Coordinates of all heavy atoms in Angstrom, one line a residue:
K73 N -11.5 21.6 -22.2 CA -12.4 22.0 -23.2 C -13.8 21.4 -23.1 O -13.9 20.1 -23.0 CB -11.8 21.7 -24.6 CG -12.5 22.3 -25.8 CD -11.8 22.0 -27.1 CE -12.5 22.7 -28.2 NZ -11.8 22.5 -29.5
G74 N -14.8 22.1 -23.2 CA -16.2 21.6 -23.2 C -16.7 21.3 -21.7 O -17.7 20.6 -21.5
S75 N -15.9 21.8 -20.7 CA -16.3 21.5 -19.3 C -15.9 22.7 -18.5 O -15.1 23.6 -18.9 CB -15.6 20.2 -18.9 OG -15.8 20.0 -17.5
S76 N -16.4 22.8 -17.3 CA -16.1 23.8 -16.4 C -14.9 23.5 -15.4 O -14.5 24.3 -14.6 CB -17.3 24.3 -15.6 OG -17.8 23.2 -14.8
T77 N -14.4 22.2 -15.6 CA -13.4 21.8 -14.7 C -12.0 22.3 -15.2 O -11.8 22.7 -16.3 CB -13.3 20.2 -14.6 OG1 -13.1 19.7 -15.9 CG2 -14.6 19.7 -14.1
T78 N -11.0 22.3 -14.3 CA -9.7 22.6 -14.6 C -8.7 21.6 -14.0 O -8.9 21.2 -12.8 CB -9.4 24.0 -13.9 OG1 -10.3 25.0 -14.4 CG2 -8.0 24.5 -14.3
L79 N -7.8 21.2 -14.8 CA -6.6 20.3 -14.2 C -5.7 21.3 -13.5 O -5.1 22.2 -14.2 CB -6.0 19.6 -15.4 CG -6.6 18.3 -15.8 CD1 -5.8 17.7 -17.0 CD2 -6.7 17.3 -14.7
K80 N -5.5 21.2 -12.3 CA -4.6 22.1 -11.5 C -3.2 21.8 -11.6 O -2.8 20.6 -11.8 CB -5.0 22.0 -10.0 CG -6.4 22.5 -9.7 CD -6.5 24.0 -9.9 CE -7.9 24.4 -9.5 NZ -8.1 25.9 -9.8
M81 N -2.3 22.7 -11.5 CA -0.9 22.6 -11.6 C -0.5 21.7 -10.4 O -1.0 21.8 -9.3 CB -0.2 23.9 -11.4 CG 1.3 23.8 -11.4 SD 2.1 25.4 -11.3 CE 1.8 25.9 -9.6
G82 N 0.4 20.7 -10.7 CA 0.8 19.8 -9.6 C 0.0 18.5 -9.6 O 0.4 17.6 -8.9
T83 N -1.0 18.3 -10.5 CA -1.8 17.1 -10.5 C -0.9 15.9 -11.0 O -0.2 16.1 -12.1 CB -3.0 17.2 -11.4 OG1 -3.8 18.3 -11.0 CG2 -3.8 16.0 -11.5
K84 N -0.8 14.9 -10.2 CA 0.1 13.7 -10.6 C -0.8 12.8 -11.5 O -1.9 12.4 -11.2 CB 0.6 13.0 -9.4 CG 1.6 13.8 -8.6 CD 2.1 13.1 -7.4 CE 3.0 14.0 -6.7 NZ 3.6 13.3 -5.4
I85 N -0.2 12.3 -12.5 CA -0.8 11.4 -13.4 C 0.1 10.2 -13.6 O 1.3 10.3 -13.9 CB -1.0 12.0 -14.8 CG1 -1.9 13.2 -14.6 CG2 -1.7 11.0 -15.8 CD1 -2.0 14.1 -15.9
K86 N -0.4 9.0 -13.3 CA 0.3 7.7 -13.4 C 0.0 7.0 -14.7 O -1.2 7.1 -15.2 CB 0.0 6.8 -12.2 CG 0.4 7.4 -10.9 CD 0.1 6.4 -9.8 CE -0.7 7.0 -8.8 NZ -1.1 6.1 -7.7
S87 N 0.8 6.2 -15.2 CA 0.6 5.3 -16.3 C 0.0 6.0 -17.6 O -1.0 5.8 -18.0 CB -0.4 4.2 -15.9 OG 0.2 3.4 -14.9
I88 N 0.9 6.9 -18.2 CA 0.5 7.6 -19.4 C 0.6 6.7 -20.5 O 1.3 5.6 -20.4 CB 1.3 8.9 -19.6 CG1 2.8 8.6 -19.8 CG2 1.1 9.9 -18.5 CD1 3.5 9.7 -20.3
R89 N 0.0 7.0 -21.7 CA 0.1 6.2 -22.9 C 0.4 7.2 -24.0 O -0.3 8.2 -24.2 CB -1.2 5.5 -23.1 CG -1.1 4.5 -24.2 CD -2.3 3.6 -24.3 NE -3.5 4.4 -24.3 CZ -4.4 4.4 -25.4 NH1 -4.2 3.6 -26.4 NH2 -5.5 5.1 -25.3
I90 N 1.4 6.9 -24.8 CA 1.8 7.8 -25.9 C 1.0 7.4 -27.1 O 0.9 6.2 -27.5 CB 3.3 7.6 -26.3 CG1 4.2 7.9 -25.0 CG2 3.7 8.5 -27.4 CD1 4.1 9.3 -24.4

Side-chain angles (χ1 to χ4, degrees):
K73 186 175 182 179
S75 175
S76 62
T77 61
T78 302
L79 277 177
K80 296 290 184 181
M81 180 175 73
T83 303
K84 293 182 183 179
I85 301 170
K86 299 182 230 175
S87 299
I88 65 169
R89 192 168 53 114
I90 305 299

